[in-house]
Amino acid sequence: MARVKLIDVVKRFGKTVAVDHVSLEIGDGEFFALLGPSGSGKTTTLRLIAGLEVPDEGEIYIDDKLVNYVHPKDRDVAMVFQNYALYPHMKVYDNIAFPLIARRRELRLSKEEISKRVVEIARMLGIENLLNRYPSQLSGGQQQRVALARALVRKPKVWLLDEPLSNLDAKLRLLMRAELKKLQRELGVTTVYVTHDQVEALSMADRIAVMDQGRVQQIGRPRDLYYRPENTFVATFIGSPPMNLIECEFVEVEEAPYTRGIGFEGREVTGYLLDCHGFRVALSRDMGSKVKEGLRGNGVILGVRPDFMKIYMAKPPWSDIIEAEVVVTEPLGSENIVTARFGDKIIKIKASPDTTPDMGSKIYVEIDWKKALLFDKATGKLLV
C-alpha cells in the first residue's frame, strides 16, 4: 500500500493543456476516483501516476518518493486498461503470470511460487476454472477479471484502473462494481479509478475528484459532492437527474416579517428576497447578508435537487411556490421523474410512483428550502 501525491502537475500536448495545475493527495489504502466528462484530463492524470506520461510541470510522489522520471516498471503500480489488453496468444494462466515471469529474477520467485500466486488470485476473482482457456474463449466479464488478476498478482502498491467496466453490459457492470469494491477492501490496495460514470464513482469511491477541462473542480466524499457542490459544474454533473438551476435576482426590499424561505428558523423580519421570475423567496437576515457580501452583481442561481421538491395538484396557501406545466412524466418503478416548465425554465422533480400528472396539466411545486443552495451567477461558485 502507498500514498499518492500530485503537486501542481501540468501536462501539455502541443497547445492543449490536458492537465492544468492538478494537486491531489490520495491516502494509504484509499479508493479514489477521478470523475469527469470526456476530455477532462482524468485518464492523462492516471497515466502520469503510472509513468506512461511525464509531467511538464509539478511533482508526483508515491510513498513520499518523487517519481517524475522513474520508469513505470519501477513505480510498483499496476494498471488495468479500458480494453483489458490481454495477450491473445497466451492462455489465461500465462496472461496472469506474465508480470511475475517478466520480473522473476528481480522478485526472486520460483515456478511453484508463481503458480501459487496465480491460482490464489484466480480463485479470489472466481476464474480458477478458466486458466487453460484463451482470451477469445472468454466473455467480456471473464476477460475483465483476467485483466484485474494480472494487475493484482504481483501485489502492487498502487492499483490504477481506467474505465474498466465501460465495455460490460448494465447488469454485469452492477455486479462488478460490488465485486471490485469488495476486492479492494479485502486487499487494502491504494486504488485510483477513472470513470465518466457518476454512479460508479459515487457507489465505489471513498473520495472523488471531479475534473473538467484539465482542472480539479472539487474533491470530496460522495455525500459532500452531492449535498454541497462547490460550483454549478459539479452541481449538474453529480446527481441523476442533475440539480435544477433557476436564475434569480437578489433584491433588497422594505423589511417585512417572514416564516418561510431560506435560512429561517422561525418568524423573522428581513429585507432580502430572491426574484425568480415566477415566484419569490425570502432570505433570512443572516443568509441575505452572506449572499450580499459574496455576490458579484445581483445574479443568483438557486440550486435544488429533484429529490427536494414536492408536487401539489392544488395550489397551497403560500407564495414561494412554483406554478408549472407538466412536459412529461417518466415512470421508473420506485419513483416517477416529472419534467415541468415554468416560464422558459425546465425543472425535474422526483415524485412518488403514485404521483402521475398528465402531460400539459398544471402542478404546484414546493421546495425544501433547508436543502436549497445559492450560487453566484457571475462565477458559478457556491455562495451559501
Side-chain angles (χ1 to χ4, degrees):
M1 294 188 290
R3 296 177 299 280
V4 178
K5 190 173 184 179
L6 280 68
I7 302 175
D8 220 21
V9 171
V10 176
K11 180 62 185 177
R12 302 182 185 89
F13 296 103
K15 294 183 179 179
T16 302
V17 183
V19 176
D20 191 356
H21 296 91
V22 166
S23 294
L24 301 170
E25 195 159 347
I26 301 165
D28 195 11
E30 184 175 21
F31 196 125
F32 191 91
L34 299 174
L35 173 66
S38 297
S40 61
K42 55 192 187 296
T43 292
T44 303
T45 301
L46 196 76
R47 290 174 62 85
L48 285 162
I49 297 170
L52 301 176
E53 304 288 351
V54 177
D56 296 311
E57 298 176 29
E59 299 173 337
I60 301 172
Y61 293 87
I62 296 177
D63 241 4
D64 300 324
K65 177 184 176 183
L66 183 64
V67 295
N68 281 33
Y69 303 104
V70 174
H71 195 277
K73 73 178 181 63
D74 298 321
R75 296 192 182 198
D76 202 5
V77 302
M79 189 161 177
V80 178
F81 297 90
Q82 185 175 354
N83 63 358
Y84 312 141
L86 300 178
Y87 300 112
H89 62 290
M90 291 184 182
K91 291 184 177 181
V92 168
Y93 178 95
D94 299 312
N95 263 285
I96 297 173
F98 184 80
L100 302 180
I101 294 171
R103 303 178 66 182
R104 182 178 167 187
R105 289 185 180 179
E106 180 185 340
L107 298 172
R108 298 179 181 179
L109 293 172
S110 65
K111 286 185 179 180
E112 291 74 20
E113 288 170 323
I114 290 174
S115 178
K116 182 181 177 182
R117 280 206 196 180
V118 170
V119 172
E120 186 180 80
I121 195 68
R123 185 181 296 122
M124 184 176 289
L125 284 159
I127 54 173
E128 188 181 5
N129 62 325
L130 305 177
L131 293 176
N132 287 318
R133 296 189 190 180
Y134 287 97
S136 61
Q137 297 172 309
L138 305 178
S139 68
Q142 290 169 335
Q143 289 183 35
Q144 193 235 24
R145 289 169 191 260
V146 175
L148 295 174
R150 185 178 62 185
L152 292 171
V153 73
R154 62 182 181 85
K155 302 177 182 178
K157 284 184 176 180
V158 182
W159 195 20
L160 308 174
L161 299 100
D162 187 9
E163 305 210 36
L165 307 183
S166 61
N167 293 329
L168 304 180
D169 61 59
K171 184 177 179 180
L172 192 52
R173 277 204 308 272
L174 187 64
L175 174 67
M176 287 306 301
R177 283 207 307 262
E179 291 199 12
L180 265 177
K181 179 72 173 180
K182 180 174 178 287
L183 183 63
Q184 192 270 341
R185 281 283 180 264
E186 289 175 352
L187 298 173
V189 61
T190 303
T191 300
V192 187
Y193 188 100
V194 161
T195 182
H196 65 273
D197 186 332
Q198 55 157 311
V199 176
E200 280 185 17
L202 292 170
S203 62
M204 296 170 70
D206 299 315
R207 287 190 305 142
I208 301 167
V210 180
M211 297 186 68
D212 184 45
Q213 297 181 347
R215 297 181 180 181
V216 173
Q217 299 295 316
Q218 185 175 353
I219 299 173
R221 298 173 301 168
R223 182 179 179 85
D224 299 331
L225 299 177
Y226 189 80
Y227 289 102
R228 295 292 295 177
E230 291 180 358
N231 56 49
T232 52
F233 175 81
V234 178
T236 52
F237 194 78
I238 298 290
S240 181
M243 181 178 284
N244 294 297
L245 300 180
I246 302 170
E247 293 186 9
C248 308
E249 291 179 10
F250 178 77
V251 293
E252 295 185 61
V253 295
E254 291 185 12
E255 292 186 346
Y258 294 91
T259 57
R260 287 176 56 86
I262 302 176
F264 287 93
E265 297 296 334
R267 189 174 180 84
E268 182 183 332
V269 174
T270 182
Y272 302 108
L273 293 174
L274 292 182
D275 184 352
C276 301
H277 311 289
F279 67 99
R280 282 188 159 197
V281 56
L283 304 179
S284 69
R285 186 180 297 276
D286 180 58
M287 191 69 67
S289 297
K290 289 178 181 177
V291 171
K292 184 178 180 180
E293 183 180 347
L295 196 61
R296 296 185 184 180
N298 66 344
V300 175
I301 295 177
L302 172 64
V304 189
R305 293 278 179 207
D307 322 43
F308 309 140
M309 307 178 91
K310 183 178 180 180
I311 291 175
Y312 293 90
M313 302 308 294
K315 189 173 183 179
W318 45 82
S319 60
D320 51 341
I321 203 83
I322 300 175
E323 185 176 315
E325 179 184 325
V326 175
V327 176
V328 67
T329 299
E330 303 168 73
L332 299 178
S334 62
E335 63 189 11
N336 289 337
I337 305 298
V338 178
T339 302
R341 177 187 291 110
F342 77 99
D344 59 350
K345 303 290 190 302
I346 293 290
I347 55 174
K348 289 185 179 288
I349 309 110
K350 282 188 179 181
S352 63
D354 57 349
T355 302
T356 55
D358 296 328
M359 185 184 300
S361 64
K362 185 177 289 186
I363 58 172
Y364 302 91
V365 182
E366 180 185 20
I367 293 172
D368 183 347
W369 296 117
K370 291 183 179 179
K371 296 175 181 175
L373 300 175
L374 301 178
F375 301 89
D376 188 340
K377 183 180 176 181
T379 64
K381 292 183 180 180
L382 181 67
L383 289 167
V384 289

